[in-house]
Amino acid sequence: MPFFRIVLTSLLLIACAAHAAEGGRLGYGISLQNVTVEDPDGDVPTESGIGFVNLYYFDEFRRDIRYYAEFVYFETKIDAKFQKIGQDISSTGVRAVLQKRLRLGRHFKPWVGLGGGLFREEFTQRHTIDQDGFLLSTLSDRDITNFMVSVDAATEWELSNRFDLGVRLLYGLPLNDGTQVYSATAILMFKGF
């Protein structure tokens, strides 16, 4: 329960900052994620899935330096394979990232960043199968609060006076037995509110 209070407080702070700041942008993203679970009980197959809940607030500190806050919810099912644990994953969290713009050309100015996030992850329906695909054993559910370090790169294009479209690539590394994430996200940003 304390984790959800942290998430709710973070969302309220993002909303307040968005209302108070000039030049801030709100965003909604859809991501393709590739996750690898670091499970203490054995190997887990890598799985890909689509995340439909990615909410953002972007703002600049100064020229070529900005930050963003992100709220993420992602779930997927990993099928068991012989000698690999199957499970359902649910991950809810917040991430803050500081980015620097690289001016590599007149029309190519990507952002690169480093950040950290706090995630509540639940691993349910954990099981193994034998060589013929029949249930071999069931394992107890796990849930953890996980701190994740991330690096990312992003670029964006202006669609209109009110909207930008961005693409972000991210790698997230858990500091304990959580999920390692590679993701590609398309973000629609609303500006000038």
Side-chain angles (χ1 to χ4, degrees):
M1 195 57 119
F3 177 77
F4 293 104
R5 289 185 195 140
I6 292 170
V7 170
L8 183 58
T9 302
S10 300
L11 290 174
L12 291 173
L13 290 173
I14 290 170
C16 291
H19 181 70
E22 291 184 25
R25 296 181 292 169
L26 295 175
Y28 169 75
I30 296 177
S31 63
L32 175 61
Q33 299 197 27
N34 181 277
V35 295
T36 303
V37 177
E38 297 183 16
D39 194 310
D41 294 318
D43 292 335
V44 177
T46 298
E47 184 65 39
S48 295
I50 296 177
F52 292 101
V53 181
N54 302 280
L55 305 174
Y56 301 88
Y57 174 72
F58 292 86
D59 206 349
E60 291 193 22
F61 280 125
R62 59 189 166 100
R63 181 177 165 88
D64 295 336
I65 302 288
R66 74 176 181 184
Y67 68 92
Y68 70 86
E70 174 183 19
F71 172 79
V72 180
Y73 176 76
F74 177 75
E75 63 180 24
T76 192
K77 177 179 180 172
I78 298 178
D79 293 327
K81 295 183 180 176
F82 179 59
Q83 298 184 336
K84 293 195 175 187
I85 302 169
Q87 54 199 284
D88 294 350
I89 302 170
S90 172
S91 178
T92 306
V94 291
R95 176 182 290 118
V97 177
L98 185 64
Q99 291 185 318
K100 175 163 180 46
R101 183 178 4 226
L102 303 178
R103 296 183 175 272
L104 301 178
R106 181 179 172 124
H107 299 289
F108 186 58
K109 301 171 188 173
W111 295 89
V112 294
L114 178 66
L118 189 62
F119 291 81
R120 179 72 174 169
E121 297 184 319
E122 296 179 357
F123 307 92
T124 58
Q125 305 295 319
R126 298 172 67 230
H127 64 283
T128 59
I129 59 174
D130 63 20
Q131 289 179 328
D132 298 319
F134 294 106
L135 181 65
L136 184 61
S137 65
T138 59
L139 303 167
S140 59
D141 293 347
R142 303 192 302 132
D143 58 81
I144 60 170
T145 299
N146 179 32
F147 185 77
M148 183 181 293
V149 176
S150 62
V151 293
D152 69 5
T155 190
E156 55 196 54
W157 303 271
E158 184 176 61
L159 297 178
S160 70
N161 289 337
R162 290 285 189 199
F163 293 98
D164 291 337
L165 178 65
V167 175
R168 182 198 66 183
L169 301 176
L170 178 135
Y171 170 67
L173 178 67
L175 297 186
N176 59 358
D177 293 329
T179 55
Q180 176 179 298
V181 177
Y182 293 93
S183 71
T185 307
I187 305 168
L188 181 64
M189 293 172 268
F190 175 71
K191 56 188 178 179
F193 48 92

